[in-house]
Amino acid sequence: MKIIATSLVIPGLFAAGLVLAPQIASAKDAAPREISGQPIELGTRYELRSAVLGDTREVNVWLPTGYDKSADRYPVVYLLDGGLDQDFVHIAGLGSLASLSWTYGPMIVVGVQTKDRRAELTSRPTDPRYLSAFPESGGADRFRRFLRDEVIPFVEARFRSGDRRALMGESLAGLFVVDTLLNDPTLFGDYVAVSPSLWWDDRRPLRDLDRTAAGQGMSGERLYLAVGDEGGTMQDGIDRLRAYLGKQPPARITVRYADFSKSASHATVYHHAAEEALRWLYPAPPYEQGQTPWFMIEGASPPAAPAH
């Protein structure tokens, strides 16, 4: 199914110019002229039946400009909370921006719908307070199996995916991104966690990182980690994660940390952070601007016309 925007009926427009008051009144009373519109395609929506989840999930795919005319392979960004009523449209827009700005490269964006984020994106807590408050939690391993065994093979069998794939998410989805990096790191090569909810389970998994096997399988992955104005146990969890990753050899993990605490809240940090992450992960070759045009130079004049 193609993902389209709703077409609109636009009232008729009056020609510019001077008119008399009676004419204005007459035009105002006239029925508006309908102008036909065409749908705007944003991508393709699939209904993927999952044996792992025992459910059907929406998987939305945005392909880069020129995909159908090339034989190129592209990095794939797997976006958590990627339903049409979630984060798919604005992250697909960042994919489109790559084609317009020439400052980062093209990619395929795959939005994977979540339905019960608290159940699907969290590990099972050990703290009794969290078990009591969130009894439905703990489905992260199953959702990760859904990605590994069903979503990724579905995408790679149908689209020209390249060597790199990324996992992106914010808040509870950012928690899932970090959890995947620490427990199944080679499933993706690139990770984008924006204001991850690392307060989960009173940060217990992060307290024990130096004494557990978490993260031991990392082998050259990249993590973009961003935070808005969070504070409290969330910021403490992020600080603990950074301290642990900072001790790792560069060959195991490369981390880029972006602190938006002075300019963005939890509600506003995602879009800008996601754009910065994509620019870092998939930079485009420098664009040759050519000579500076005359109108950008103080006091310059247009070049003289060639003599005939």
Side-chain angles (χ1 to χ4, degrees), residues 94-158:
L94 292 178
S96 179
L97 181 60
S99 301
L100 298 173
S101 68
W102 304 299
T103 56
Y104 56 105
M107 69 204 70
I108 297 170
V109 178
V110 176
V112 183
Q113 179 191 35
T114 53
K115 290 186 177 179
D116 187 339
R117 301 173 73 245
R118 196 171 287 164
E120 296 166 356
L121 300 176
T122 61
S123 59
R124 189 68 176 164
T126 57
D127 189 307
R129 297 171 300 166
Y130 287 76
L131 284 168
S132 174
F134 309 112
E136 75 283 13
S137 63
D141 285 341
R142 186 168 68 160
F143 200 83
R144 197 160 23 249
R145 195 162 67 251
F146 165 57
L147 295 177
R148 180 195 305 110
D149 296 346
E150 297 179 326
V151 177
I152 292 173
F154 172 84
V155 170
E156 294 188 346
R158 288 163 177 79

Side-chain angles (χ1 to χ4, degrees), residues 2-3 9 21 29 32 54 69-70 86 90 128 159 174 193 235 240 256 292 304:
K2 293 291 185 182
I3 302 170
V9 176
D29 294 337
K69 297 179 181 178
S70 79
Q86 296 177 309
H90 81 94
F159 304 101
Q235 184 65 57
R240 288 172 183 269
R256 178 158 180 166
T292 304

Side-chain angles (χ1 to χ4, degrees), residues 171-257:
S171 193
L172 281 175
L175 170 70
F176 182 93
V177 169
V178 172
D179 185 54
T180 303
L181 172 65
L182 294 176
N183 293 291
D184 194 1
T186 59
L187 184 55
F188 298 89
D190 300 323
Y191 291 84
V192 179
V194 179
S195 278
S197 298
L198 297 183
W199 50 264
W200 181 253
D201 199 17
D202 198 20
R203 298 147 288 156
R204 192 169 306 278
L206 300 170
R207 296 174 188 274
D208 301 328
L209 279 174
D210 288 323
R211 297 188 295 277
T212 67
Q216 296 305 306
M218 294 185 299
S219 57
E221 286 73 34
R222 298 184 292 180
L223 169 66
Y224 177 91
L225 178 64
V227 63
D229 181 14
E230 307 292 356
T233 56
M234 180 181 282
Q235 184 65 57
D236 180 72
I238 291 170
D239 292 342
R240 288 172 183 269
L241 176 66
R242 290 182 64 206
Y244 172 74
L245 295 178
K247 300 174 185 176
Q248 308 308 310
R252 295 187 63 205
I253 182 74
T254 300
V255 179
R256 178 158 180 166
Y257 179 64

Side-chain angles (χ1 to χ4, degrees), residues 44-46 57-62 76-84 86-89 91-92 108-114 147 151 155:
T44 305
R45 177 177 180 264
Y46 299 90
R57 291 305 169 96
E58 180 183 310
V59 175
N60 300 307
V61 179
W62 181 88
V76 181
V77 176
Y78 289 85
L79 173 68
L80 301 165
D81 298 329
L84 290 180
Q86 296 177 309
D87 291 314
F88 176 74
V89 173
I91 299 300
I108 297 170
V109 178
V110 176
V112 183
Q113 179 191 35
T114 53
L147 295 177
V151 177
V155 170

Side-chain angles (χ1 to χ4, degrees), residues 293-303:
W294 66 268
F295 48 78
M296 296 288 289
I297 302 172
E298 184 71 37
S301 301

